[in-house]
Amino acid sequence: MRRLLLALAALLAIAVGPVACVSDDASSLSLEDAVGQMLLIGFRGTSLDDEFAGLLDELAPGAVILFDYDGPSGGEQVRNIVSPEQVKVLTAALQEASERGLLIAIDAEGGFVNRLKEVYGFDVQLPSHLTLGAGTASETEALAGASARQLSELGINWNLAPVVDVNVYPESPAIGYWERSFSADPGVVSEHAAAFARAHHDQGVVSTLKHFPGHGSAVGDTHLGVTDVTDSFVRDDELAPYRQLIDDGYDDVVMTAHVVNRNLDPSARPATLSRPIVTDLLRGELDFDGVILSDDMQMGAILEEYSLETAAIEAIKAGVDVILIANQNTYDLDHVRRIKAAIISAVERGEISRERIDESVERILALKRRYGLYEQ
């Protein structure tokens, strides 16, 4: 019966369109609900089943992320994307089950990083960043606009793109090799990233600059293990796209990298866990006041050195607002429970202040308000 009701609610939501949900500010939320807003989580299933509906009710996450392929099972388990109509029903059901308006995220960079493949029936196929960067910014804006329009029509309101890593090392195993950088020229990266983000904003889709402070020079892959860019990072070039876009008013989301850069933080912490990089550099020097998102906390660069709980706490202390648990390297929804419980416990024992939580949550709610997901 619950599934039937959720399906009917999803169909109704499709018919009437997106509806903003309840209105609060951060300080009016319970600690449990406030911390929930700071979670972006991945899950299995092409529909809202009882297990995940129960998890949404239990953990009240502020955001979910969709994938077409399940990494932990090598594709044997079904993930979230089968067809356009199925995705529309799923996103509508997710919104109906969420009390405060849900950010529904996807990696739709284009090229190799594409969850909405033609084989599933999706019409818009965006070229890679490298291909876009070889053309004009107006062409990038038009193509990205078509992709963003497709996302919006599917009920997906957050794209974890564009990549603004400068192509310092074209064979970088996480960036250059997969054509995920617009260019080796920071000016070209800035111009195309701005066009990409602008196109998404015009379609009501949140964009994300990644991977701060820069992953384009890395000879290693943070998905697999610790990656040190101390000797390869070109500070002026790799920070230039962030500096330019933020100066021009960009205020959606920036995703952190898990790279180690001793020139920016002598303690050798991954950038995601580094207060000198997240708060002093991104918030302070670059004056970014939008939402800061971690890269996936289940990646090798984190778990080689830290527990999930410690990493989440340290990321928040560093200045991160949203913790990503994609469940793509390993699948365990209990990881989400553990991270949320650890953050709450850190607040209760005074390691993290409630004011620090509220700072992040207010940024998240402000982003949702701007995109019509949340009423003030």
Side-chain angles (χ1 to χ4, degrees), residues 178-369:
W178 297 106
E179 301 185 1
R180 298 176 71 196
S181 172
F182 288 114
S183 176
D185 182 335
V188 172
V189 173
S190 300
E191 187 178 15
H192 285 267
F196 194 103
R198 187 165 55 246
H200 280 68
H201 183 272
D202 290 347
Q203 295 298 326
V205 178
V206 178
S207 59
T208 307
L209 310 184
K210 63 185 187 185
H211 307 79
F212 187 82
H215 207 305
S217 70
V219 298
D221 185 346
T222 51
H223 292 88
L224 305 178
V226 173
T227 299
D228 193 322
V229 299
T230 302
D231 295 330
S232 59
F233 183 75
V234 184
R235 179 186 173 109
D236 289 347
D237 285 356
E238 297 196 58
L239 291 181
Y242 296 100
R243 192 182 303 277
Q244 183 65 59
L245 270 72
I246 293 166
D247 284 350
D248 289 344
Y250 180 86
D251 60 354
D252 274 7
V253 182
V254 169
M255 175 189 279
T256 61
H258 296 327
V259 294
V260 170
N261 190 327
R262 291 179 175 84
N263 290 329
L264 299 181
D265 184 349
S267 74
R269 287 188 164 214
T272 301
L273 314 187
S274 167
R275 186 172 179 85
I277 293 174
V278 176
T279 293
D280 297 346
L281 179 56
L282 181 54
R283 290 271 186 235
E285 181 179 330
L286 299 185
D287 201 25
F288 180 64
D289 196 37
V291 170
I292 298 177
L293 166 69
S294 79
D295 207 342
D296 184 10
M297 299 299 276
Q298 294 169 314
M299 287 163 59
I302 294 295
L303 295 185
E304 273 191 7
E305 302 287 334
Y306 303 90
S307 70
L308 281 169
E309 293 88 343
T310 297
I313 290 168
E314 293 304 311
I316 293 170
K317 288 162 65 175
V320 170
D321 300 311
V322 178
I323 304 295
L324 170 55
I325 314 106
N327 276 311
Q328 273 290 61
N329 290 338
T330 185
Y331 191 86
D332 190 345
L333 291 176
D334 196 49
H335 284 185
V336 185
R337 295 185 178 92
R338 286 168 50 191
I339 285 174
K340 183 172 183 181
I343 297 168
I344 291 170
S345 179
V347 175
E348 291 175 341
R349 66 174 178 267
E351 185 175 356
I352 299 173
S353 70
R354 175 60 199 257
E355 290 73 22
R356 170 67 193 87
I357 297 297
D358 288 348
E359 288 174 6
S360 286
V361 174
E362 195 50 57
R363 290 190 191 101
I364 296 162
L365 298 183
L367 181 69
K368 291 184 175 184
R369 291 181 193 113

Side-chain angles (χ1 to χ4, degrees), residues 32-95:
E32 290 76 10
D33 283 350
V35 173
Q37 287 295 304
M38 299 174 70
L39 303 178
L40 167 58
I41 66 177
F43 63 100
R44 285 178 178 150
T46 57
S47 61
L48 185 59
D49 62 18
D50 290 343
E51 178 185 15
F52 195 66
L55 192 76
L56 285 177
D57 186 57
E58 173 191 351
L59 296 179
V64 297
I65 184 168
L66 306 184
F67 292 95
D68 67 316
Y69 178 84
D70 185 68
S73 69
E76 292 184 9
Q77 294 282 339
V78 176
R79 201 65 185 211
N80 313 123
I81 296 167
V82 174
S83 71
E85 287 306 315
Q86 167 267 324
V87 172
K88 289 179 185 178
V89 172
L90 173 61
T91 58
L94 289 167
Q95 291 291 8

